Amino acid sequence: MKILVTGGAGYIGSVVVEQLIGTGESVVVFDNLSQGHSAAVHPSAVLIKGDLSDRAAIDGALNEHRPDAVMHFASRTLVGESMEKPFLYLGNNVRTGLNLLESMVEHGVKRVILSSTANLFDRPERMPIDESERIIPGSPYGESKFILERMLYWLDRIYGVRFACLRYFNAAGATATRGEDHDPELHLIPLVLQVALGKPEKVTIFGEDYPTRDGTCVRDYIHVTDLAQAHILALGALDRGSRLYNLGNGEGFTVKEVIDTAREVTGRAIRAEIGPRRAGDPAVLVAGSDKIRKELGWVPQFPHVREIIESAWRWHKANPGGYLN
Ligand SMILES: NC(=O)c1ccc[n+]([C@@H]2O[C@H](COP(=O)([O-])OP(=O)(O)OC[C@H]3O[C@@H](n4cnc5c(N)ncnc54)[C@H](O)[C@@H]3O)[C@@H](O)[C@H]2O)c1
């Protein structure tokens, strides 16, 4: 198969590209490099530097490469930013997705995998959160993903576009050659490892008065290669119909547990200070992923946060300046 990967120079996309190439697929990456890195793109993939807001650029890529499927990772991704600048999300994220989908339909590309999010589930009624949970997006970011999910529903009904929406919880970890390098970095595990490397000096824990075992928020961390495997399985299942899956390990770890584990793994003192709660942070977010396990036989290989942190640490130690090194 030939697969066009939007956002394939970014954190998760670049790891999925690495695995797709490992399974013998041919890959074209479409990325504006606003957050991505050309060095993260596997050398066997074609890299097109282009922006999804530029409809002609997408048409050109689909015309030239005629992919069998698209994986759509490219997005603005920050919940907090979306609460301050909603149009970047309700506007750009939706418009760029619409451009891509419209161009796909025009070029007869009828398979797509969308990176969706746990941010669809604000104030969930049950924990772990499975696919039957009511959807209440927690921010304009989550809403933009939900709008794209709904577009896909209609494109399936009207044009037969087969889709998989994968709602990731917290992606983390690294492969030997690809890891997480965002600017700004707001994700807990890379931040904690940067503190272990000396910059910044400390990490802030946002609130320690949540109703959890140590008062800090509980999150479900999924290794990026387990996430990549889920994409490959979902791609193989698309011809049997469209599907939606929540993706996590089904086990939660508190912020303090993550920091303590990182101290053990790195052998370094990681300074942490307690700050106020962040608006909109739920106490616990854990995925119920039984559906993808049963339907696609997906089994995470790195279910424990320790292994996830170990892999990330190896990458950060080898690349202390990220991809600029
Ligand atoms: N990282 C997580 O824990 C997590 C959790 C849930 C969902 N997601 C979703 O997964 C996807 C990938 O996340 P990530 O952490 O790898 O993000 P990332 O920022 O590392 O990757 C996104 C990539 O898209 C590119 N991009 C952004 N806007 C673009 C545009 N208009 N045109 C072309 N390229 C553009 C960026 O340059 C970047 O390379 C995103 O859609 C995100 O919303 C991530």
Side-chain angles (χ1 to χ4, degrees):
M1 271 207 197
K2 186 182 263 192
I3 299 150
L4 184 124
V5 180
T6 76
Y11 169 47
I12 303 170
S14 65
V15 172
V16 174
V17 169
E18 176 184 319
Q19 297 222 340
L20 284 170
I21 284 173
T23 58
E25 311 293 7
S26 134
V27 178
V28 177
V29 168
F30 187 97
D31 197 301
N32 66 3
L33 302 181
S34 58
Q35 275 290 333
H37 311 271
S38 51
V41 177
H42 193 287
S44 301
V46 173
L47 170 61
I48 298 173
K49 187 176 177 212
D51 196 300
L52 288 172
S53 58
D54 178 355
R55 176 62 201 275
I58 310 167
D59 286 344
L62 293 184
N63 230 340
E64 182 181 349
H65 294 284
R66 301 270 155 198
D68 303 291
V70 168
M71 292 191 181
H72 181 39
F73 296 92
S75 174
R76 289 185 168 268
T77 63
L78 305 178
V79 170
E81 181 184 60
S82 82
M83 296 296 283
E84 286 162 19
K85 299 176 182 168
F87 288 115
L88 283 182
Y89 289 78
L90 298 171
N92 291 15
N93 266 6
V94 173
R95 266 196 297 272
T96 53
L98 188 62
N99 274 345
L100 175 69
L101 294 175
E102 214 174 353
S103 183
M104 280 175 55
V105 168
E106 281 181 19
H107 290 84
V109 183
K110 293 198 171 176
R111 296 189 191 96
V112 59
I113 298 189
L114 172 72
S115 302
S116 190
T117 171
N119 196 245
L120 298 190
F121 307 109
D122 203 26
R123 289 169 280 120
E125 290 185 307
R126 289 175 306 278
M127 200 62 64
I129 303 171
D130 67 22
E131 294 78 3
S132 66
E133 180 62 52
R134 62 186 183 169
I135 292 182
I136 302 179
S139 67
Y141 163 69
E143 190 76 46
S144 72
K145 296 287 186 179
F146 186 47
I147 292 170
L148 294 179
E149 287 200 0
R150 295 304 302 163
M151 282 185 198
L152 288 170
Y153 167 81
W154 288 108
L155 298 184
D156 183 352
R157 278 189 61 174
I158 296 167
Y159 298 117
V161 171
R162 297 289 179 254
F163 67 83
C165 296
L166 303 183
R167 289 109 168 226
Y168 323 149
F169 281 57
N170 292 67
T175 68
T177 45
R178 290 178 179 83
E180 192 165 4
D181 179 11
H182 293 122
D183 183 17
E185 187 57 77
L186 300 178
H187 291 153
L188 180 63
I189 290 177
L191 257 181
V192 163
L193 297 179
Q194 285 171 0
V195 175
L197 286 168
K199 210 172 150 197
E201 287 179 351
K202 59 180 188 236
V203 61
T204 303
I205 299 173
F206 297 110
E208 62 169 352
D209 57 351
Y210 287 94
T212 61
R213 45 188 179 265
D214 62 20
T216 63
C217 288
V218 171
R219 293 291 179 267
D220 183 333
Y221 296 91
I222 175 170
H223 196 284
V224 65
T225 58
D226 285 330
L227 208 51
Q229 197 50 36
H231 284 75
I232 290 170
L233 291 170
L235 182 65
L238 282 188
D239 289 344
R240 303 199 299 274
S242 295
R243 46 204 67 235
L244 305 161
Y245 295 118
N246 291 0
L247 265 181
N249 276 313
E251 199 184 342
F253 297 91
T254 69
V255 174
K256 284 186 178 170
E257 285 166 353
V258 168
I259 296 172
D260 284 341
T261 308
R263 287 180 178 132
E264 284 167 25
V265 166
T266 62
R268 304 197 183 176
I270 294 172
R271 219 178 118 204
E273 67 172 19
I274 307 296
R277 285 185 179 199
R278 266 187 319 203
D281 261 348
V284 181
L285 277 179
V286 176
S289 297
D290 285 353
K291 189 169 171 237
I292 188 166
R293 289 172 194 255
K294 280 193 195 120
E295 289 185 8
L296 303 187
W298 178 72
V299 182
Q301 301 301 303
F302 303 101
H304 199 278
V305 77
R306 184 182 186 95
E307 302 163 285
I308 295 176
I309 293 174
E310 280 168 353
S311 73
W313 178 233
R314 281 191 290 276
W315 189 81
H316 281 278
K317 233 179 2 177
N319 303 278
Y323 283 103
L324 294 179
N325 245 12

